[in-house]
Amino acid sequence: MSGRLADKIAVISGGGTGIGAATARRFAAEGARVVVTGRRREPIESVAADIGGVAVAGDTSETEHATAAVTAALTHFGGVDIVVANAGVGIGGDVLSVRDEDWQQMLDVNVTGAMKLARAALPALIDRGGGAIVNISSVSALSASPARVGYGVSKSALLALTRSMAYDYGRQGIRVNTVCPGWVRTPMADAAMDSLANAKDIDREEAYRRAAAHLPLRRVARPEEIAHCCVFLASDEASFVTGAVLVADGGGEIVGTGTLAFDD
């Protein structure tokens, strides 16, 4: 099969919906064979069926699940070349209000889950002579959001994990990079927009418009647009890129908040 990922074997966590599902479909379209993981069996089995992949249901924070996902890639396809750590959870709260169990869950899923999946896959990647790991972080790793302390901290930690792995395994041909999306139309973002809509007595679409009002592109992303970023970082087109942070946020990070009053 032709494509930028022809004959590559990928493991994608959180692949049932949103960015993960879009990435699984895009990878398959680019020639990859894909193992899709997630907590809910039905969505990942649906995606896997559509792309001729394999679904492995489980909790990304559990060592046994990470091992099972990699084992599935080895058993069904013969190796691992790419890992996309996309599984994530976001729960609101500031330092005074965030529950201990919610704080721990965000760390377990958003950081430890990515580490465990990488740890399970690294021997297989090394056996193949190298490969690519793409971690999905967030612009919340780069700037603060109101009452999102656990999410921001966990996504910031993912950047440090990326840099450490890029340094430690680069000599073995393994590249590790991060994508930091801004607002993307996903179930997680829909829930955030519904919360904003309820607070402001508006509908979801108006909430999305308000969220994008100060972005230079004046819109939020489609999951497929983030999937294209993942394809680039996973492919040979990014063969000299490692330890990098690719920000895909419609230009939000370049906007100076002190000048918003002058924006027409």
Side-chain angles (χ1 to χ4, degrees):
M1 182 180 290
S2 61
R4 288 180 288 174
L5 303 179
D7 300 321
K8 300 295 185 182
I9 301 160
V11 178
I12 300 174
S13 70
T17 61
I19 293 170
T23 301
R25 295 180 192 281
R26 187 67 252 163
F27 274 32
E30 293 286 352
R33 289 164 288 175
V34 182
V35 172
V36 185
T37 81
R39 286 178 296 173
R40 294 179 296 145
R41 184 175 298 277
E42 185 177 344
I44 61 171
E45 288 184 345
S46 177
V47 172
D50 287 346
I51 65 174
V54 174
V56 179
D59 187 336
T60 189
S61 66
E62 295 179 354
T63 299
E64 295 78 7
H65 173 62
T67 301
V70 172
T71 299
L74 295 172
T75 301
H76 291 275
F77 302 129
V80 180
D81 301 292
I82 302 163
V83 172
V84 179
N86 169 73
V89 62
I91 305 170
D94 57 21
V95 167
L96 288 175
S97 64
V98 66
R99 300 187 305 168
D100 288 351
E101 55 267 38
D102 292 339
W103 172 271
Q104 192 60 53
Q105 184 183 7
M106 284 183 275
L107 293 176
D108 287 346
V109 174
N110 297 353
V111 188
T112 305
M115 182 277 291
K116 288 185 175 182
L117 183 57
R119 186 170 62 188
L122 276 165
L125 291 167
I126 293 168
D127 284 346
R128 302 279 275 192
I133 298 173
V134 181
N135 293 320
I136 307 300
S137 181
S138 167
V139 292
S140 292
L142 308 174
S143 58
S145 302
R148 301 280 283 178
V149 62
Y151 189 71
V153 167
S154 64
K155 290 299 189 178
S156 294
L158 196 52
L159 302 187
L161 177 66
T162 294
R163 294 172 182 135
S164 291
M165 292 195 298
Y167 195 109
D168 289 339
Y169 300 103
R171 70 195 66 191
Q172 292 164 292
I174 295 169
R175 299 181 299 102
V176 190
N177 294 289
T178 302
V179 180
C180 283
W183 286 116
V184 185
R185 284 185 178 268
T186 65
M188 184 184 294
D190 285 348
M193 292 303 146
D194 289 344
S195 178
L196 176 61
N198 289 335
K200 301 295 185 182
D201 195 25
I202 57 178
D203 63 18
R204 180 188 290 176
E205 290 306 310
E206 177 59 23
Y208 269 119
R209 283 191 288 271
R210 291 193 185 191
H214 297 295
L215 300 181
L217 293 184
R218 295 297 196 271
R219 65 176 180 85
V220 302
R222 292 175 288 105
E224 292 77 14
E225 292 177 294
I226 309 305
H228 286 301
C229 296
C230 295
V231 169
F232 167 69
L233 291 174
S235 75
D236 290 341
E237 293 175 358
S239 58
F240 202 60
V241 180
T242 195
V245 177
L246 196 168
V247 179
D249 70 342
E253 283 298 303
I254 69 172
V255 175
T257 56
T259 66
L260 292 178
F262 296 90
D263 191 352
D264 58 5

